[in-house]
Amino acid sequence: VGLAPAAHGGNRTGRVFTGDKSADFLFSCLYKTGFANQPDSINKDDGLILRNMYLTTALKCVPPGDKPTSKELKTCFNYFNKEIGYLKNVSVIVALGKIGYDACLNYYKQYYQIKNKDFIFSHGSKNILPDNKLLVGSYHPSPRNVNTGRINQNKMVKLLNSIKEILWVYMKRFFFHDPYLLIYGFVIVFFGSYGQTFYIALFNEDIRNSYNLTDGQFGFVYAVATLVSSFLFINFAKLIDKIELRIYSTLIIIGLALACIGFNFIFDN
């Protein structure tokens, strides 16, 4: 969460942290830590994809003199509230800069009795919010902070990597507390191991004979097990938002190719 779109960045391009020096610094770090698919954010049509993250600002327009009033913040909270409401899987909020940090706290003050003095801002500071989300503080990647050395790529990359580790812990907690995902994972393992066993057996006649199936029947069972396990795995990865579209497409092709080996066995026998 940043404070507001920059006059020559997000305000000009129509996307936050896009087209200015702050964007160059931030996305270079996001790319190095795997949160973005490319190291720059130039315009809305540059092909940028964010992974497991969402970028926004507390304010939706450039404040006069870069100093927003409390009335302006409260007005924009109507939009900020809707954004937060749409994000169902938020576990960590990273506030860029002290003003952005305070804006997050002021947002929470609408619903909870909290005090700013209980949330100390510093680069890398971590505080638990009333709804159990983690609020992380970060120096703003402004040219002034970068040029004075207050923030550099090593500091930002280190912070982002620590957040990745935290997200992994949250994801595991989410997985093990969701029966649906546990069942899904079990079915994937079952069909995957079944398909792997049959794949090995395709090239070993002695193993095939132990199943008392004709080669055609064996190929059919293998093809079905491969297709089902591939489908389940790919959709499971999509479900937990851990896969890119191009990898998704590649896995589909690989799954179909492996299944074709089984279908070829059917037609040959």
Side-chain angles (χ1 to χ4, degrees):
V1 177
L3 173 61
H8 301 291
N11 199 58
R12 175 178 60 84
T13 61
R15 188 175 70 190
V16 293
F17 288 104
T18 300
D20 61 3
K21 292 296 183 182
S22 293
D24 294 342
F25 176 90
L26 181 61
F27 275 93
S28 175
C29 297
L30 290 174
Y31 175 72
K32 288 181 178 180
T33 52
F35 284 107
N37 70 322
Q38 59 190 43
D40 43 40
S41 177
I42 301 170
N43 58 63
K44 292 191 294 184
D45 302 313
D46 59 10
L48 174 67
I49 297 173
L50 299 179
R51 304 187 183 109
N52 295 316
M53 70 170 298
Y54 179 83
L55 272 174
T56 189
T57 52
L59 291 175
K60 305 307 173 188
C61 56
V62 180
D66 284 336
K67 294 181 179 180
T69 64
S70 58
K71 181 180 179 180
E72 188 177 10
L73 280 166
K74 288 180 180 178
T75 300
C76 277
F77 274 156
N78 291 328
Y79 303 100
F80 191 54
N81 287 347
K82 290 181 180 179
E83 280 185 295
I84 298 300
Y86 289 135
L87 303 174
K88 302 300 183 183
N89 296 319
V90 175
S91 53
V92 179
I93 298 175
V94 181
L96 300 175
K98 180 64 165 66
I99 299 178
Y101 190 87
D102 288 341
C104 290
L105 293 179
N106 289 333
Y107 164 76
Y108 271 86
K109 283 181 179 179
Q110 299 174 105
Y111 309 104
Y112 302 96
Q113 295 294 322
I114 61 173
K115 299 179 180 179
N116 285 44
K117 68 181 182 65
D118 296 327
F119 296 83
I120 306 301
F121 172 82
S122 64
H123 185 75
S125 63
K126 298 178 177 66
N127 289 280
I128 300 296
L129 291 163
D131 58 355
N132 290 322
K133 292 182 177 65
L134 183 67
L135 178 61
V136 179
S138 169
Y139 292 142
H140 194 283
S142 65
R144 177 185 297 176
N145 283 344
V146 173
N147 292 336
T148 58
R150 191 175 195 190
I151 183 73
N152 56 45
Q153 286 207 0
N154 288 336
K155 289 181 181 178
M156 182 62 83
V157 167
K158 183 179 180 180
L159 176 62
L160 292 173
N161 277 327
S162 72
I163 292 170
K164 282 184 70 175
E165 294 176 5
I166 294 169
L167 289 175
W168 174 240
V169 171
Y170 273 95
M171 193 193 78
K172 287 193 292 185
R173 190 179 303 168
F174 165 70
F175 176 83
F176 287 111
H177 284 78
D178 192 323
Y180 174 69
L181 290 180
L182 280 174
I183 294 171
Y184 214 121
F186 174 79
V187 174
I188 291 171
V189 172
F190 175 79
F191 276 98
S193 59
Y194 202 54
Q196 184 181 22
T197 301
F198 272 55
Y199 177 76
I200 295 172
L202 282 175
F203 304 99
N204 189 309
E205 188 174 353
D206 293 334
I207 297 178
R208 289 203 307 275
N209 292 336
S210 67
Y211 283 93
N212 294 320
L213 295 174
T214 66
D215 286 346
Q217 292 172 330
F218 198 93
F220 176 77
V221 173
Y222 161 76
V224 170
T226 301
L227 285 174
V228 171
S229 59
S230 297
F231 172 80
L232 289 172
F233 172 76
I234 293 167
N235 281 278
F236 177 78
K238 289 284 285 183
L239 190 67
I240 60 174
D241 196 25
K242 278 289 180 183
I243 197 168
E244 288 186 59
L245 181 61
R246 59 184 178 182
I247 301 177
Y248 177 80
S249 304
T250 303
L251 288 174
I252 290 176
I253 294 172
I254 293 174
L256 289 174
L258 290 173
C260 284
I261 298 174
F263 286 121
N264 184 60
F265 234 71
I266 298 172
F267 296 131
D268 286 347
N269 296 278

